Structure formats: structure tokens, C-alpha cells
């Protein structure tokens, strides 16, 4: 059996619920109207009997009826019986059996040949232990008639009501589900056309569907970024690896044919080694960038001492300490990913050495102001012409390829910038050809970082 859609199910449930409510309402109305009808009859009987009692004068050993006495009024028959229960005046209703024993001032239901009667008796004492009974009789409200009338109304009105409820529910449900249809249509279109640029863009709001659409849009955004990063990685890797691979291939072929001495072979091996290092550096940087772009490698932010991190990077890398001059105050705390921040620092210092003078210096300083934490890496090297300063942050951009023969691929600064942004910071550059360059990392001051590191 074909599964019912949620819309149909909801419409069905709503209609069923309304049907149940209508039936309950009907039952409630029925019981209320029965009660009301019965109480109205009792009060009618009491009133008529009481007004007749007011018209009876039973003083002086006999009784006399006033002019307003009425044997039959408002459906109530009033009868007068002797002490010995013989009918003295009035007419017994046709279907009332008349065998009911007398009980003073008790209103009761008495079954008769046809239907039921409400009966009340009042004893009026007279002289010498004599007296008369006044009996009021009223036909009890017919239950079955009431029920029949109500069911008749229900029978005619209910189908209309249910049809109306079903239609109304369907229209409401359909309208409420319209955004979901839109979301599904867009998701299908994106899937079929592999068009990751499309978005749902549901009108702004805060209901469940808007939140769902926003989540989907975010998801599509991430998918798109991830997809683009992967595409970029494949394109960059295949393009950039081609050169070192063909150099290695050519070197091997040449060596096989022409390298005769051990020195020649050693030279070829060194060259292959350099190219392999270049490839390895390229692949690891490309991978880091791709993962950061894709969001698969998320940053593990923690409060850390930036000075300590700088010292440990310099120690681990074994830089020439005569040429590297550090100005690092104690306890400058940043919220950062230690691995990524170390990578950024390494790239800047290595560039400073690489593009510095052969016996030149590299100055690394750290300072903290109210607004930011500033890391400066300065060299006295070749510098960068003003027109190139914007471009060097792009992937694979190299000002002068001949200087990058030591293994650079033009990815370092792109990665540096990406890491800076990931930490909520940015990079700046001041440089003059032949005088040197100063690369600066600006990081925001995290308010709670110092407190949290002190606790640790
Ligand atoms: P790579 O160093 O691998 O070529 P980078 O992305 O680190 O790639 O740098 C891009 C380019 O910017 C370099 O090729 C170089 O031309 C220039 N550059 C980077 N750092 C410096 C520096 N300290 N001094 C002069 N030029 C630099």
C-alpha cells in the first residue's frame, strides 16, 4: 500500500479529532438539556401546585376553591382527594394509572401507561383530624424526543461540519508545509544539477522551517567550500608537482646515461633530494590550507603563552641564534591553536632568513597594547617592491623565482594569512627593496585568556 503523505495524515488526524470533539460536545449538550428540561418541569409543577394551594381555603371543616384556582394549567393537572383518597375534584390525565400512593410534598417520577409523570402531593389538614390531598401531575419531559431531535440535527449538520473541517485542515496544512516543499525542491534541484551555489533563502523568520532552511543553506555553503577547496587542491597539486617530478625524472634519466663519477651521482642525488623536499613541503602546505578551508581541520583554541611558543619554535628549528634577535616579554597570553600558530611563526622566520642578506639579521619582537597583540618579524634583506606587496599573499605567487630555489612554492604567506584570519587577526607588511621587510601579525586581545591561563 502506498504510504500516506504527512499532509494527508495530519488532515486525517485533525478531522478525526474534530469529529471526536463534536461527538463529545453533542453528548455534553444532551446531558445538559435533559437536566435542564427535567428541572424546568419540576419548577413548573411546584409553581402551579403552589399557586393553587394559595387558592384553597380549608378553614371551618370544609374547603373552598378561590376563583383563580385552575385544575389544568401549563400542562399541570391539579386534583383534590379526600382523606380516604377518593377523588373529589379534577381530572386524572388519560395515561396516568392513578394508583400512586400519597406522600406529602415529595416530587417523584411515576411510570405510566405511556411515558412518565411527575407527581407531588400536599396534605392540607382541616378540623377534627380531617383533611384533603392536593395532587399535582405533570407529564415528565420525553427523553427520547430530545435525543431524537439532537441526533437529527447532528445527522444533518455533522457531515457538512466534517467536510468543512477536512477541507480547512487540508488547506492549513498545505499552506504550513509550503516552505518544506520549497526546501525539498531546492535540495532536489541542487542534487540533480550538482549546483552547489544555489541556496534556499527562505524569507527571514524564526520558525522551524526558516531555521531548517538556514541550516541547509549553511550546509550547502560548507559543501560548496569543501568542494571548491578539493577542486583547488587537485588542480594545484597536479600543476605544481609536475615541475619537480619532471626535474627528478630528467635527472634520473640523465644520471643513468651520463653520471660516471661518485661526485656527479652525489650531485644528482642532492638535487633529487631538494626537489623531494620541495614536493613534501608543497603537499603538506597544500593539505593544511585545504583542510582549513574545508573546515575538516578545525582549530583547537586554547589560552597559551605566545612568548613561550616563540622560544620553543626557535629552539626546535635550530635557527642561527647569532643572527636571530628576540625581544619577547613574559606572559603575553593569546587564544590560539599552538600547532597553527607555530606554523605561522616558522614560515615568517624562515622567509626572513631566506630573503635576508647572507650574513644579515632577523628581529622577532612581541608586544601587547590595549587593543592588540603584535608579532613582528623583520629582516634586512632584499625587500619587496610596493607593486608586489599585495600579490605575495596569493597562492603560488613568488616575486622572484630564482630566490625560491631552496624549496619554496609560494604557499607560505597564503597559509600565514589563512591562519591569522582563523585566529581573528590579520597580517600587515612594511617593506622597501634592498632595506628589508617587516611582517606583522595582529591578534585581538582576548579578555579572559589571562585569567584562564592563571587558573591552569
Ligand atoms: P615561498 O617563500 O615559498 O616562495 P611565500 O608564500 O612564503 O612563498 O612567499 C611568497 C613570496 O613573497 C616569495 O616568493 C618572496 O618573493 C616574497 N617574500 C616572502 N617573504 C619575504 C621576505 N621576508 N623578504 C622578501 N620577499 C619575501
Amino acid at each position: 500500500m502506498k504510504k500516506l503523505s504527512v499532509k494527508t495524515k495530519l488532515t486525517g488526524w485533525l478531522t478525526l479529532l474534530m469529529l471526536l470533539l463534536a461527538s463529545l460536545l453533542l453528548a455534553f449538550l444532551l446531558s445538559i438539556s435533559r437536566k435542564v428540561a427535567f428541572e424546568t418541569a419540576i419548577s413548573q409543577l411546584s409553581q402551579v401546585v403552589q399557586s393553587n394551594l394559595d387558592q384553597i381555603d380549608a378553614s371551618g371543616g370544609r374547603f373552598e376553591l378561590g376563583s383563580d384556582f385552575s385544575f389544568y394549567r401549563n400542562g399541570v393537572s391539579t386534583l383534590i382527594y379526600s382523606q380516604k383518597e377518593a377523588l373529589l375534584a379534577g381530572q386524572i390525565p388519560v395515561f396516568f394509572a392513578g394508583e400512586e400512593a400519597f406522600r406529602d410534598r415529595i416530587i417523584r417520577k411515576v411510570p405510566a401507561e405511556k411515558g412518565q409523570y411527575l407527581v407531588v402531593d400536599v396534605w392540607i389538614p382541616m378540623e377534627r383530624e380531617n383533611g384533603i390531598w392536593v395532587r399535582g401531575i405533570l407529564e415528565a419531559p420525553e427523553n427520547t424526543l430530545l435525543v431524537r431531535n439532537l441526533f437529527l440535527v447532528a445527522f444533518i449538520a455533522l457531515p457538512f461540519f466534517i467536510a468543512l473541517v477536512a477541507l480547512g485542515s487540508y488547506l492549513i496544512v498545505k499552506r504550513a508545509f509550503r516552505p518544506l516543499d520549497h526546501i525539498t525542491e531546492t535540495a532536489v534541484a541542487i542534487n540533480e544539477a550538482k549546483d552547489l551555489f544555489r541556496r534556499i533563502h527562505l524569507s527571514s523568520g524564526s520558525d522551524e522551517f526558516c531555521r531548517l532552511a538556514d541550516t541547509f543553506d549553511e550546509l550547502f555553503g560548507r559543501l560548496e567550500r569543501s568542494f571548491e577547496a578539493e577542486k583547488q587542491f587537485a588542480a594545484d597539486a597536479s600543476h605544481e608537482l609536475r615541475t619537480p617530478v619532471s626535474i627528478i625524472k630528467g635527472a634520473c634519466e640523465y644520471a643513468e646515461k651520463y653520471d660516471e663519477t661518485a661526485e656527479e651521482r652525489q650531485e644528482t642525488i642532492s638535487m633529487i633530494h631538494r626537489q623531494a623536499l620541495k614536493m613534501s613541503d608543497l603537499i603538506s602546505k597544500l593539505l593544511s590550507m585545504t583542510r582549513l578551508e574545508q573546515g575538516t581541520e578545525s582549530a583547537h583554541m586554547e589560552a597559551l603563552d605566545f612568548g613561550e611558543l616563540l622560544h620553543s619554535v626557535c629552539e626546535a628549528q635550530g635557527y642561527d641564534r647569532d643572527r636571530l634577535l628576540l625581544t619577547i616579554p613574559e606572559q603575553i597570553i593569546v587564544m590560539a591553536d599552538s600547532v597553527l600558530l607555530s606554523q605561522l611563526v616558522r614560515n615568517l622566520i624562515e622567509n626572513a632568513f631566506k630573503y635576508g642578506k647572507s650574513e644579515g639579521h632577523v628581529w622577532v619582537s612581541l608586544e601587547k597594547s590595549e587593543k592588540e597583540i603584535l608579532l613582528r618579524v623583520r629582516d634586512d634583506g632584499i625587500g619587496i617592491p610596493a607593486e608586489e606587496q599585495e600579490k605575495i599573499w596569493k597562492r603560488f605567487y613568488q616575486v622572484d623565482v630564482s630566490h625560491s630555489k631552496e624549496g619554496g612554492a609560494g604557499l607560505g604567506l597564503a597559509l600565514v594569512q589563512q591562519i591569522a584570519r582563523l585566529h581573528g587577526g590579520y597580517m600587515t607588511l612594511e617593506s622597501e627593496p634592498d632595506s628589508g621587510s617587516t611582517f606583522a601579525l595582529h591578534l585581538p586581545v582576548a579578555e579572559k585568556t589571562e585569567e584562564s591561563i592563571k587558573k591552569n
Side-chain angles (χ1 to χ4, degrees):
M1 201 180 86
K2 202 180 165 215
K3 282 208 168 167
L4 294 176
S5 71
V6 177
K7 275 184 227 164
T8 319
K9 277 188 206 161
L10 260 179
T11 309
W13 281 114
L14 279 175
T15 313
L16 209 69
L17 183 73
M18 288 311 279
L19 186 67
L20 197 78
L21 284 180
S23 311
L24 280 176
L25 191 71
L26 208 68
F28 177 70
L29 275 179
L30 204 69
S31 83
I32 288 278
S33 50
R34 262 185 192 171
K35 209 168 161 189
V36 168
F38 192 67
E39 269 165 17
T40 313
I42 287 178
S43 103
Q44 195 176 328
L45 176 67
S46 315
Q47 265 176 19
V48 173
V49 169
Q50 188 54 53
S51 71
N52 277 340
L53 285 176
D54 294 343
Q55 294 294 318
I56 298 175
D57 179 9
S59 55
R62 32 197 316 266
F63 71 90
E64 265 176 40
L65 302 179
S67 58
D68 282 342
F69 188 94
S70 169
F71 285 104
Y72 186 80
R73 193 194 307 155
N74 290 349
V76 179
S77 303
T78 307
L79 311 162
I80 300 176
Y81 287 84
S82 69
Q83 190 181 16
K84 293 202 171 119
E85 301 182 4
L87 181 63
L88 299 177
Q91 198 173 2
I92 301 171
V94 186
F95 297 108
F96 186 71
E99 293 300 320
E100 175 66 12
F102 284 84
R103 282 189 275 168
D104 193 18
R105 292 181 190 270
I106 294 175
I107 298 175
R108 58 215 185 262
K109 257 195 233 172
V110 177
E113 262 176 59
K114 198 173 159 220
Q116 283 187 321
Y117 284 85
L118 288 173
V119 176
V120 66
D121 303 316
V122 181
W123 170 249
I124 301 178
M126 293 195 305
E127 279 180 3
R128 277 177 269 124
E129 293 175 15
N130 200 1
I132 51 168
W133 284 105
V134 174
R135 168 167 279 181
I137 304 174
L138 171 67
E139 197 177 347
E142 182 82 73
N143 279 341
T144 46
L145 189 73
L146 200 73
V147 173
R148 208 184 310 134
N149 282 346
L150 262 173
F151 272 108
L152 197 72
V153 170
F155 194 70
I156 296 167
L158 218 58
F160 281 108
F161 175 70
I162 295 303
L164 209 71
V165 167
L167 184 73
S169 309
Y170 181 73
L171 290 178
I172 290 170
V173 170
K174 197 173 163 203
R175 198 184 148 79
F177 273 62
R178 205 176 293 157
L180 191 65
D181 291 338
H182 181 58
I183 292 172
T184 316
E185 275 163 26
T186 314
V188 169
I190 288 173
N191 185 34
E192 279 173 359
K194 297 198 170 39
D195 176 9
L196 286 172
F197 295 96
R198 242 177 108 159
R199 297 288 179 273
I200 298 166
H201 288 314
L202 217 57
S203 55
S204 60
S206 59
D207 65 17
E208 291 84 342
F209 288 130
C210 287
R211 286 207 298 275
L212 181 70
D214 287 348
T215 312
F216 266 115
D217 280 346
E218 259 171 51
L219 181 75
F220 293 142
R222 281 191 61 182
L223 270 178
E224 184 199 328
R225 281 199 298 279
S226 172
F227 185 69
E228 286 300 309
E230 213 174 287
K231 234 168 66 182
Q232 182 82 45
F233 175 80
D236 291 345
S238 56
H239 183 261
E240 297 302 318
L241 289 176
R242 205 172 288 157
T243 316
V245 166
S246 56
I247 292 175
I248 290 173
K249 219 173 118 217
C252 290
E253 283 163 7
Y254 185 88
E256 271 172 10
K257 278 190 197 161
Y258 307 109
D259 280 4
E260 285 173 0
T261 63
E263 276 148 30
E264 280 173 341
R265 264 181 239 120
Q266 186 53 47
E267 207 176 295
T268 309
I269 289 170
S270 308
M271 201 250 279
I272 291 175
H273 192 198
R274 273 202 308 278
Q275 292 303 325
L277 285 179
K278 183 171 177 167
M279 280 160 65
S280 141
D281 177 61
L282 181 120
I283 289 170
S284 76
K285 278 181 182 155
L286 260 185
L287 267 180
S288 297
M289 288 176 77
T290 307
R291 284 181 188 147
L292 285 178
E293 272 165 24
Q294 281 183 324
T296 43
E297 190 173 291
S298 46
H300 303 289
M301 297 296 190
E302 55 183 334
L304 50 89
D305 188 329
F306 203 172
E308 245 175 58
L309 180 132
L310 281 170
H311 283 299
S312 66
V313 168
C314 295
E315 225 160 89
Q317 296 304 115
Y319 299 127
D320 181 350
R321 297 306 294 264
D322 293 335
R323 293 175 58 205
L324 179 65
L325 308 165
L326 304 178
T327 313
I328 303 173
E330 279 182 9
Q331 284 280 312
I332 292 199
I333 310 301
V334 282
M335 275 309 268
D337 180 314
S338 60
V339 176
L340 293 175
L341 198 58
S342 304
Q343 200 166 5
L344 177 145
V345 169
R346 267 199 318 271
N347 280 337
L348 291 181
I349 298 179
E350 273 159 29
N351 274 356
F353 277 117
K354 200 158 57 167
Y355 302 104
K357 280 189 198 140
S358 55
E359 288 308 315
H361 290 89
V362 173
W363 292 267
V364 175
S365 67
L366 187 62
E367 58 193 75
K368 185 182 172 192
S369 68
E370 275 203 358
K371 279 198 282 174
E372 60 180 10
I373 291 166
L374 191 65
L375 167 77
R376 278 202 188 93
V377 178
R378 181 162 74 87
D379 63 68
D380 50 4
I382 58 169
I384 303 165
E387 68 277 11
E388 303 283 356
Q389 291 182 10
E390 279 280 302
K391 300 176 193 163
I392 54 162
W393 304 101
K394 289 189 188 140
R395 286 169 170 226
F396 303 111
Y397 192 82
Q398 294 177 309
V399 179
D400 182 359
V401 184
S402 64
H403 276 95
S404 299
K405 58 185 179 293
E406 291 170 50
L411 278 178
L413 288 180
L415 186 59
V416 161
Q417 195 168 52
Q418 204 176 8
I419 295 173
R421 283 185 186 150
L422 195 82
H423 285 79
Y426 61 98
M427 295 297 305
T428 52
L429 165 65
E430 283 169 30
S431 183
E432 278 216 22
D434 299 325
S435 325
S437 313
T438 305
F439 284 86
L441 163 71
H442 304 252
L443 284 180
V445 180
E447 311 249 304
K448 288 179 193 149
T449 49
E450 284 177 40
E451 282 168 32
S452 60
I453 204 157
K454 272 174 200 157
K455 271 184 210 157
N456 292 336

